Structures are given as C-alpha cells and as structure tokens.
Amino acid sequence: MDSTDSTDSTDRSAQSPLPSRRHLLTAAGAVLAGAAAFSQAGPAFAASPAQDADVIVIGHGLAGLVATAELADAGRKVLLLDQEPETNLGGQAFWSFGGLFLVDSPEQRLMGVRDSHDLAWQDWQGAAGFDRGVGDPAGQDHWAYKWAQAYVDFAAGEKRSWLYGLGVRWFPVVGWAERGGGLADGHGNSVPRFHVTWGTGPAVVEPFEKKVRAAVARGKVAFRFRHRVDEVVRTGGVVTGVRGAVLEPSDAPRGTRSSRTVVGDFEFRAPVVVVTSGGIGANHDLVRQNWPARLGAPPRNMISGVPEHVDGRMLAITEAAGGRIVNPDRMWHYTEGLRNYAPIWAKHGIRILPGPSSLWFDATGKRFSAPDLPGYDTLSTLAAITGGGHDYSWFVTTQKILAKEFALSGSEQNPDLTNKDIPLTLSRLWQTPEPIERFKKNGADFVVASNLADLVAGMNRLTGEGLIDLADLKRQIEARDREIDHPYSKDVQVMGIRNALSYTGDFLSRTAQIHRILDPGAGPLIAVRLNILTRKTLGGLQTDLSGRVLDAGGTPVPGLYAAGEVSGFGGGGVHGYRSLEGTFLGGCLFSGRQAGRAAAAATAT
C-alpha cells in the first residue's frame, strides 16, 4: 500500500555499472528477510509443475477463511495470502460484536418473537431500496438483488444449523437493531433479529480458523503472510496467478500498524484467484472520494471502526484485471462513535450500541425527529448530521439510561461475552458494565454533571464552539419529560420506548424504565459527543451467485472470484442502500462459502 517505505535496490544499482559493497549487503539482507518472511508463512506443499496451487485466496479475514476451508474440504490445494502478519488472522471479524442476522430462530421464539421468511424479505427489500436495474442483467443491482434473495433464504434456512454444527452458540437475548423509518414496508427490522454470538467475533472466526489450520497440517493449505498482492495476472484473458511484494517480517500485535518495507517480490500461479480483501473503512480519502451527495458533505473529521490495513487497495487491482465495481457510493458508517481512550489503531473509534431512551441533539442543540432516533435509522441520522454542516452530534442521557442501555461494539469491549463468562454477563442486569464506566471516566467525549447548567457548560467547553444554549436545551428536555406522565404520547421516541419495554429482551437487558431526563434520582446527567465512525463498504466487485467476478459486459472473468466486503458481501451490494445489521459477518460467511464451493467445483479434475 505504501510504496514510500519500500526499498528498490534494483533501480538504484542500475545507475552504476558495478554494484557497490553497500548494495550487495543491502541485497543480501533483503534476501534473508524475504526468506524469513517465507519461513513464518507455514509449510509448503507439493503442486503441479505448471502451478503453485489449485486456488489462491487473497485476504485472511472471515470470508477468506471460509472460502479456504471449503476448498480444502473439497481436496484443493490453496495458497492463502495476506499483507498482514499472522497476528491478524481473522481480520475485522475478530474485533466484531459477533452479531448475526437469523430468521425464526429458537432464540427468537424463546423471547416470544414471531418471525418468518416473508417478513424478513419484506424488511430487506424496504431497507435495500434496490433501484439500479434489478431486471437488467447489466444493472448494478441485478446480481445484488439475487444475492439478497439467496441470503434471506440462507438466514431463514440452514445458516443457524450449519453454524451450530461447527460449534457456534448464541446469547439467548436477541437484540433489536435498526428499528427503521416508521413504515411497515420501509427500512428496518420489524422484529428483533440481532443474535450475539457467545464468544463474540472470535467465536465466529474460530471454527474456520481451526479448519484452515488443520488443512495446513494436512498439506492442503499454505499461509503466505506478509505477501502484498499488487497484480492479478491474466494470460490470454484468463487469470493465471498473482504478483506482488514480500513485506519484511512483523510481530506487530493484532490491529496495530505493520511495516510496509518491501524485502522481495513474488509471483504465484494458479488457475483460480479468490479476492477476499475487505473494504475501504480505514482509507478516509477513498471514503470521501466515494461519499454520496445524499448523505450530505463528507465529514471533515472521522474516526475509524476498522484497523489501518482495511485500505481498499485490492478493489482497483481487481478492476485492473477486468472486474467491474458497482455501487461504490453505497457505504455504512455509524453516527455514535467514541474516540477510544486506549487506541489500538490510528483514529480508533468504538461505537455505542444504544437503547431507545437517550435524547439525540445536533451540534447546535436541536433535537432530532423520527426516524433519527437511537437505534432506528443509521443513514438517515448520518444525513441529518452532515446536512447541518457538522460532523458530530450529542446524546443527552442519565446514569440510569447509560447503565441499562449502553453497549459498546467490539469483542475487546465485551469481555464477559467474549470470554463466555456467565456470572459477569448476568451482572449486566444490575450494574453498568465496567468497559462503559471506563469510557465515562476516561473517554474524551463524555461530560458528566449534577445539573443541566453545568452539563451545558461542559458540552460547550468540550467543543470550544459554544453552540449549545442552556435555555433552549432545557425547553426541549422539559417538553419531552412532560410526555411521560401518561401511558400515551405524541412523542414518537416516547412511543418507541414503551414499544421496546413490551419486548421481553429489551425489558430485561436493553431498555431503562421510562423516566424524566431531569429527574435528580436518575442522575447524574451525561452528555456524549458522538463522532462519525467509518465502517463498511456496501458496494464493490460485482459477482454472480457463484462468486465469479463479472466484467463491464456482465461476463465472468475466467478464473476470478470474490467474496466478503470487497464484493459488497455478494453481487456488488447485497444490502442495497442500508443494512439491517447482523448481516456483515453473515455476508462474509455466505459469500465465502459460495465462492469457495464454486471455485472447488471449477478446479475439479
């Protein structure tokens, strides 16, 4: 990615007829470092004289692991390449909360939720808003729509049993994410569908990592860490392998920046290449380049929900090999981002997963209206924030709400669930999780006060802009507080809180009993500055239902496949414009499986 850090001894040595002693030593060092990089990559395996593997997989995140596991199970020999060291095996999925979109599951039925395939498909279509040539084979949404149909079938069918058979389990309380825009056939989940994996993201990665490592031991898979692909090679219009740079060995901890110093180059040959390299979330320049006008002006300041290596570079490389990129303007960024007080990567942000009760205000202190409410419509709220000319907003809430309703995204922020600690997980019912209290104490975005005047003073001091007017903020909060004196209300958010309390899962763990924000007994008062947090690429390489990458004319590029975020989680944009949540990990699982199985069939002898 960063050529400025590389060492190109060939170009420099070409300037003189004979290499100097310094040049010879440099070249020798590069050879030794390259050999070290190969030695940490895992055992080699025998291949045919004409090729190094049956299939090359680029990217060792979740989609790459799933595809590789499928290929190895089918007896194929696979080279699994990634520019990062082994410490990053599993990619972004490792850092995730582990949420999965399932339909009519035993967990839902336990919570009294009645779900169905038809309701899920209704919700998916209402959220996606496919409008770019669904019926036209050349349309950007043609294959995305087909992938969406297949994915909902999967989520309502064998997805749970397949994962259960691999040892995956779920926390029994099903979450209700993206509650929508207010119409039955519009955006949002009609019912709770967000199933948190017991063990969070690492537990989703684990069975596939085990399968791939077992395949390495059998000689079916070879890891090639620190191998950065710079070109997908085509010969006579057919994919025949990859070329790239070997980066110096690195022991950088998971998620942290690794060196981009080049110590050699490589070329591997295979009749099939599967690209599973992820999205663009850490490349803010690329995010802004693709930012759509419908979401307002690109934010001046953003924080990153993904490590720095999520750079999107393989999109252009695969496009250069003939692949078609569609829907690049569709993306998924969160509006409830916190700057991590203990960052692992640059601009490291953590998302608040909010319950329904905090009051949400723009940067000037104006309360948002429906559907721009906590947990309802992410992209509508994003457009409302940026449309106001600012790149942050505010929650105003109480300790009582924070204790019951705030959750933080990420495996590292949920040690109880990640470590499968049942007593600690149950303690959420009566105490604020410790990671949230640490953010309240140490986070740069929190203001805590015993009264509203001090809270507003702290908010204005934090931003240095003085945009919040005490009298106006008090007027809006008091108006909302008057609405809770009756079991009925015209305030949509108050209605939503009462709706949430009627769902057993929210009543138990995600919604505080309704109360006045200015009730001293619910305090202290808390204001949280919310930053724009980059996360997912919803568009990408267009693929058919086998994961084959299509060219500009809609024809599969021979030997080229893609899966995961780089393909818009299938078809170049399975989500359309909006996600229903719990569908990113699931999209990696499904598209990785599809591509792996199809590539195995294509390489059968």
Side-chain angles (χ1 to χ4, degrees), residues 416-447:
D416 51 347
L417 294 165
T418 300
N419 297 326
K420 304 180 182 180
D421 187 327
I422 294 175
L424 189 58
T425 300
L426 291 176
S427 74
R428 290 183 180 229
L429 297 175
W430 62 81
Q431 67 180 14
T432 310
E434 181 59 29
I436 294 170
E437 282 295 329
R438 285 200 298 269
F439 260 91
K440 190 181 78 173
K441 178 181 178 181
N442 303 313
D445 297 305
F446 281 77
V447 180

Side-chain angles (χ1 to χ4, degrees), residues 171-405:
F171 186 61
V173 178
V174 182
W176 195 353
E178 284 296 296
R179 304 184 189 206
L183 294 176
D185 59 353
H187 171 56
N189 286 293
S190 297
V191 298
R193 297 191 177 103
F194 191 81
H195 296 65
V196 177
T197 301
W198 186 234
T200 67
V204 179
V205 172
E206 181 181 14
F208 302 100
E209 179 180 344
K210 284 182 175 179
K211 287 171 72 71
V212 170
R213 289 193 183 279
V216 171
R218 300 197 309 271
K220 290 297 183 182
V221 174
F223 287 124
R224 292 291 181 261
F225 306 114
R226 306 295 285 155
H227 281 61
R228 187 189 70 196
V229 173
D230 297 323
E231 179 186 358
V232 175
V233 179
R234 295 178 72 186
T235 305
V238 176
V239 167
T240 54
V242 297
R243 296 189 185 105
V246 179
L247 307 180
E248 68 177 350
S250 172
D251 58 0
R254 183 185 291 273
T256 62
R257 181 195 294 267
S258 63
S259 165
R260 290 293 178 264
T261 299
V262 174
V263 297
D265 54 31
F266 69 88
E267 179 170 355
F268 294 132
R269 299 161 297 167
V272 168
V273 171
V274 183
V275 181
T276 60
S277 55
I280 68 174
N283 188 337
H284 290 190
D285 290 339
L286 199 53
V287 169
R288 291 188 181 96
Q289 177 184 317
N290 290 291
W291 193 273
R294 66 180 177 276
L295 293 181
R300 295 182 301 275
N301 299 297
M302 296 183 287
I303 55 178
S304 292
V306 295
E308 294 168 75
H309 61 256
V310 185
D311 53 24
R313 64 188 305 278
M314 280 304 303
L315 281 161
I317 291 168
T318 311
E319 185 179 36
R324 181 192 186 194
I325 296 173
V326 295
N327 302 311
D329 62 317
R330 293 180 182 168
M331 51 186 72
W332 191 255
H333 306 304
Y334 290 114
T335 49
E336 313 99 331
L338 302 174
R339 289 177 293 172
N340 196 340
Y341 66 88
I344 297 171
W345 53 80
K347 300 181 179 180
H348 187 177
I350 299 293
R351 184 201 175 199
I352 296 173
L353 304 171
S357 302
S358 297
L359 296 189
W360 206 337
F361 298 89
D362 71 10
T364 68
K366 179 182 178 182
R367 187 182 173 197
F368 290 122
S369 58
D372 305 326
L373 306 172
Y376 277 74
D377 191 329
T378 293
L379 292 192
S380 175
T381 309
L382 176 58
I385 293 168
T386 57
H390 297 277
D391 48 26
Y392 68 92
S393 60
W394 291 100
F395 274 170
V396 174
T397 192
T398 67
Q399 178 66 33
K400 186 174 181 179
I401 292 171
L402 178 139
K404 189 71 174 285
E405 297 192 6

Side-chain angles (χ1 to χ4, degrees), residues 53-71:
D54 297 314
V55 180
I56 295 169
V57 177
I58 305 170
H60 65 203
L62 181 59
L65 289 174
V66 174
T68 300
E70 292 290 338
L71 286 157

Side-chain angles (χ1 to χ4, degrees), residues 437-476:
E437 282 295 329
R438 285 200 298 269
F439 260 91
K440 190 181 78 173
K441 178 181 178 181
N442 303 313
D445 297 305
F446 281 77
V447 180
V448 182
S450 60
N451 61 75
L452 189 60
D454 288 347
L455 189 78
V456 169
M459 294 165 73
N460 285 329
R461 187 165 52 248
L462 180 61
T463 64
E465 295 185 294
L467 298 176
I468 308 298
D469 179 76
L470 172 60
D472 190 50
L473 193 72
K474 182 179 180 182
R475 176 190 61 78
Q476 294 176 84

